[in-house]
């Protein structure tokens, strides 16, 4: 492996990171449009809402592929950190999410359980996992 | 698992970044291996052994 090959690998990683950023940005943008569009743009027209949801789904699929490609560009230790963070995120999402749902079902909390709260828990758990992994192997 | 990576690297006057380049991993991974915080996979251990022209067990060994 020479410097030029390593440089190609580094450039590839930057390219994958940038691509993931674009896909994620697109997904967030279409998510916002899907949620706010009916009220502020197309007056609850069902056809536009369905199109918006489908576009959001398609961009979400692209984001998943971009994330997979980004992780494949990492070395084995970086992949391990990602794996452990994702395990923490998935586990927390499932366990805390179900407990949160139970709080709603049993009327312990007055408000409805929102899926957005689950997403926030998973993102927070993922961030904690990445921080812990970086500290553990750093 | 422990290893002699830091010593072998120092003998050749290589930086962690130099070794990372040669092994196609990040400098953080080299640092973690040298500090015994991360055990490399078998393919990476073979790659290290090939790079230093040594046997794996001459570089990596179990904790006593």
């Amino acid at each position: 492996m020479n410097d030029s090959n390593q440089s190609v690998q580094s450039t590839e990683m930057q390219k994958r990171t940038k691509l993931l950023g674009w896909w994620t940005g697109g997904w967030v943008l279409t998510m916002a449009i899907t949620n706010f569009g009916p009220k502020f743009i197309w007056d609850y027209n069902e056809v536009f809402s369905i199109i918006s949801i489908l576009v959001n789904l398609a961009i979400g699929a692209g984001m998943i592929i971009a994330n997979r490609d980004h992780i494949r560009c990492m070395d084995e230790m970086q992949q391990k950190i990602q794996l452990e963070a994702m395990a923490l995120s998935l586990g927390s999402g499932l366990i805390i999410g179900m407990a949160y749902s139970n709080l709603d079902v049993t009327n312990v909390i007055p408000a409805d359980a929102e899926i957005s709260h689950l997403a926030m828990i998973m993102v927070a758990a993922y961030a904690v996992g990445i921080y812990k992994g970086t500290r553990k192997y750093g | 698992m422990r290893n002699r990576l830091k010593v072998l690297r120092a003998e050749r006057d290589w930086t962690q970044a130099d070794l990372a380049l040669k092994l196609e991993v990040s400098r953080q991974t080299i640092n973690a291996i040298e500090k015994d915080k991360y055990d490399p996979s078998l393919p990476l251990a073979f790659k290290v052994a090939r790079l230093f022209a040594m046997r794996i067990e001459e570089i990596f060994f179990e904790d006593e």
Side-chain angles (χ1 to χ4, degrees):
Chain A
M1 183 68 175
N2 56 34
D3 288 8
S4 108
N5 281 348
Q6 179 70 22
S7 173
V8 167
Q9 193 185 33
S10 176
T11 308
E12 180 70 12
M13 184 67 174
Q14 286 174 356
K15 184 183 142 196
R16 295 289 175 199
T17 305
K18 199 176 280 184
L19 265 175
L20 178 59
W22 279 111
W23 279 107
T24 306
W27 180 75
V28 170
L29 181 67
T30 54
M31 178 64 77
I33 290 171
T34 302
N35 277 276
F36 297 111
K39 185 176 178 184
F40 297 108
I41 303 174
W42 57 78
D43 194 25
Y44 297 95
N45 182 307
E46 202 170 278
V47 174
F48 283 115
S49 289
I50 290 170
I51 290 170
S52 177
I53 290 166
L54 290 176
V55 169
N56 176 246
L57 264 177
I59 293 181
M63 186 178 75
I64 291 170
I65 293 167
N67 191 36
R68 182 202 63 188
D69 293 345
H70 180 248
I71 288 172
R72 281 181 177 172
C73 262
M74 295 176 175
D75 72 24
E76 59 180 55
M77 190 189 77
Q78 292 168 329
Q79 287 180 346
K80 189 176 167 70
I81 292 172
Q82 289 288 328
L83 179 69
E84 289 176 7
M86 287 177 188
L88 182 66
S89 177
L90 181 64
S92 304
L94 183 67
I95 302 302
I96 299 175
M98 293 307 287
Y100 182 46
S101 172
N102 286 340
L103 287 173
D104 179 18
V105 170
T106 55
N107 286 326
V108 175
I109 53 172
D112 289 337
E114 298 286 345
I115 192 79
S116 57
H117 295 162
L118 179 61
M120 284 191 277
I121 288 167
M122 292 183 77
V123 168
Y126 176 74
V128 168
I130 292 291
Y131 175 76
K132 281 182 69 178
T134 307
R135 296 260 305 174
K136 181 179 172 187
Y137 299 113
Chain B
M1 198 168 71
R2 297 174 62 215
N3 67 80
R4 297 177 53 221
L5 209 57
K6 191 173 183 177
V7 174
L8 294 170
R9 177 173 64 75
E11 283 172 359
R12 285 154 183 81
D13 206 20
W14 291 342
T15 63
Q16 287 186 342
D18 293 334
L19 186 55
L21 268 169
K22 294 173 195 298
L23 294 173
E24 301 177 75
V25 295
S26 64
R27 191 199 58 75
Q28 288 75 17
T29 298
I30 297 298
N31 186 53
I33 294 172
E34 285 187 356
K35 288 183 174 174
D36 301 326
K37 287 183 174 180
Y38 174 71
D39 293 334
S41 67
L42 202 49
L44 181 55
F46 269 114
K47 211 169 182 177
V48 172
R50 265 200 306 274
L51 180 66
F52 290 111
M54 298 170 83
R55 289 182 301 160
I56 286 181
E57 58 268 36
E58 291 176 307
I59 304 172
F60 299 97
F61 38 91
E62 283 180 307
D63 285 317
E64 305 235 336

